Amino acid sequence: MRAMQVTELGQPLSLREVPTPEPGLGQVQVKVHTCGLNFGDLLVIKGTYQEKPQLPATIGMELCGTITAVGEGVTDFARGQRVAAYCGFGALADYAAIPAAVCVPIPDKMPAEDAAAFLITYGTSHVALDYKAHLQPGERLLVLGASGGVGLTAVELGKLMGAEVIAVARGAAKLDVARAMGADHLIDSDTDDIRSMVKELGGADVVYDPIGGDQFKAALRACNPEARLIPLGFASGEVPQIPANHLLVKNLTVIGFYWGGYTRVNPKVLTDSFKVLTEWYVQGKIKPHVSHVLPLEQANEALDLLRARKATGKVVVSIN
C-alpha cells in the first residue's frame, strides 16, 4: 500500500510502498478515505512533538474510513462499518491498523471530509470549554488563533454554548471566516492591540489559546477577576512564562490541557464529548469548515498550507 512517511526529521514526507498492516489484538484494519491534518503533524515532522515515533514513520493523527478487518477481541465493530478515529499516527496511508478503542461510529449523513475534520478540532474545543473551563452562558470568551482548525471550532461552540465571543486572527479574510462562525467581536492580531480592545469590550472571562507568545501575555492582562485561561498549543513558537503574581491578584486560573492525553487517562471524557458533538452535527447546529481537500500525493503541499497559515479551519487529505 501507499503511505506518506517521515524518513528524515525536518524534511518533506516521502510517498512509499509499505506492507499493508494487519489488525492485532484489539485492533481493526481501516481502509482510509480521508485524513485530517493537524498542527501536531508539523511537530512530528520537526521531531518536537510530545510523542516521537521511530523512523520511517507514517504520520496522520485523524482519519475517516471503513473497517475492512477485525482483530481478535474486538466485538463492538464489524467489517463494512464507517468510523472516525484519533489514531495519533498512521492515517496518511491507504490502510491503517488501529486500536478499536479509538474508533467512533459516524452518522450516515456525515461525509468523509467532515468526519476527518471533526474529532480533534471539535473534541479539543468542546472538552476545553465545557469539561475544563466550565464556560457559562453570558460569559465573554476570547479565542486566539480564531481562524485555525481548533480556533474556529472554539468560536462556533462558544457561541452555541451562549458565550459572547471575541475572535482574534490575522487579516480581514480570516476574521470574516470567524464572523461567519458566530464571533461577536473581531480583533486583527496584525494591527490591533489585543489587550486594550478586549478590556474595552469588558474583559475576558475565558481565554482559549492555541498560539502562546505575546498573544497569551496580552490576553492574560485583559482578563477579568476569576477568569480561566486554557493554553493548548504554541503555534507562535514561544511557550509563555506565566507570572504567578498576576494570577494571585485577579484570582486567575490557568488550565493545562492536552486533548489526546485523555485517550489514556480518562477516555470516557472524549466519548461523552463526541456523543454531544455528534448530536449537534445531526441537528445541524455545527458544521466543520474545510478550506482545502488535496490527494495523498499532495500531502506535502497540504502540510505547507498549515505551515504558512494559509488555511482556515481544516485541511483534509483524500485517499482513494
Side-chain angles (χ1 to χ4, degrees):
M1 70 168 192
R2 302 170 303 160
M4 291 296 284
Q5 293 194 320
V6 181
T7 57
E8 184 179 351
L9 294 179
Q11 297 301 311
L13 303 180
S14 299
L15 182 61
R16 306 180 72 206
E17 289 288 332
V18 300
T20 302
E22 296 296 328
L25 178 67
Q27 291 187 324
V28 293
Q29 182 193 71
V30 177
K31 172 65 184 80
V32 182
H33 301 313
T34 49
C35 169
L37 298 184
N38 294 276
F39 186 75
D41 293 313
L42 299 179
L43 300 182
V44 174
I45 294 170
K46 290 172 63 178
T48 58
Y49 192 62
Q50 297 99 313
E51 302 172 38
K52 296 177 173 57
Q54 183 176 350
L55 303 185
T58 303
I59 69 165
M61 300 179 172
E62 185 176 21
L63 64 78
C64 169
T66 302
I67 294 176
T68 47
V70 175
E72 182 182 352
V74 176
T75 59
D76 295 336
F77 294 95
R79 291 181 59 185
Q81 191 169 4
R82 294 177 73 232
V83 295
Y86 169 71
C87 51
F89 304 99
L92 275 177
D94 289 315
Y95 291 87
I98 58 179
V102 303
C103 296
V104 292
I106 55 175
D108 291 339
K109 67 178 295 183
M110 184 181 286
E113 289 79 10
D114 282 2
F118 199 80
L119 278 182
I120 293 179
T121 53
Y122 279 106
T124 296
S125 293
H126 184 248
V127 175
L129 297 177
D130 183 60
Y131 180 77
K132 298 291 283 185
H134 305 294
L135 179 68
Q136 299 299 307
E139 289 193 309
R140 195 169 294 109
L141 169 66
L142 174 62
V143 180
L144 306 179
S147 67
V150 292
L152 204 56
T153 58
V155 170
E156 186 179 11
L157 294 181
K159 190 63 178 177
L160 183 60
M161 294 166 69
E164 179 183 346
V165 181
I166 306 171
V168 179
R170 301 175 64 185
K174 291 184 176 182
L175 288 170
D176 284 343
V177 176
R179 179 191 288 112
M181 283 297 189
D184 298 288
H185 311 285
L186 308 174
I187 297 177
D188 190 332
S189 59
D190 279 343
T191 59
D192 296 332
D193 185 310
I194 295 173
R195 177 188 178 187
S196 63
M197 291 190 68
V198 173
K199 288 178 74 68
E200 287 174 7
L201 291 168
D205 300 306
V206 174
V207 176
Y208 181 98
D209 178 24
I211 303 297
D214 289 339
Q215 291 194 33
F216 178 91
K217 298 172 187 175
L220 177 66
R221 288 162 174 79
C223 280
N224 291 327
E226 297 193 319
R228 292 88 73 201
L229 300 96
I230 314 167
L232 50 93
F234 312 105
S236 67
E238 180 186 345
V239 179
Q241 303 305 301
I242 301 168
N245 60 317
H246 286 218
L247 307 184
L248 182 151
V249 170
K250 288 189 177 181
N251 288 302
L252 304 179
T253 301
V254 178
I255 304 170
F257 178 56
Y258 169 40
W259 183 85
Y262 280 100
T263 61
R264 294 183 295 274
V265 301
N266 191 358
K268 188 174 184 297
V269 170
L270 304 188
T271 55
D272 288 349
S273 170
F274 186 71
K275 289 176 183 177
V276 173
L277 292 168
T278 301
E279 290 175 3
W280 285 348
Y281 179 90
V282 171
Q283 293 167 3
K285 294 181 178 179
I286 56 176
K287 168 69 175 175
H289 178 87
V290 178
S291 63
H292 298 80
V293 179
L294 285 80
L296 181 65
E297 296 82 357
Q298 295 180 31
N300 283 308
E301 290 91 330
L303 288 163
D304 283 341
L305 291 170
L306 293 186
R307 192 176 286 113
R309 300 185 185 181
K310 293 181 178 179
T312 55
K314 199 76 168 181
V315 176
V316 170
V317 172
S318 177
I319 304 166
N320 299 313

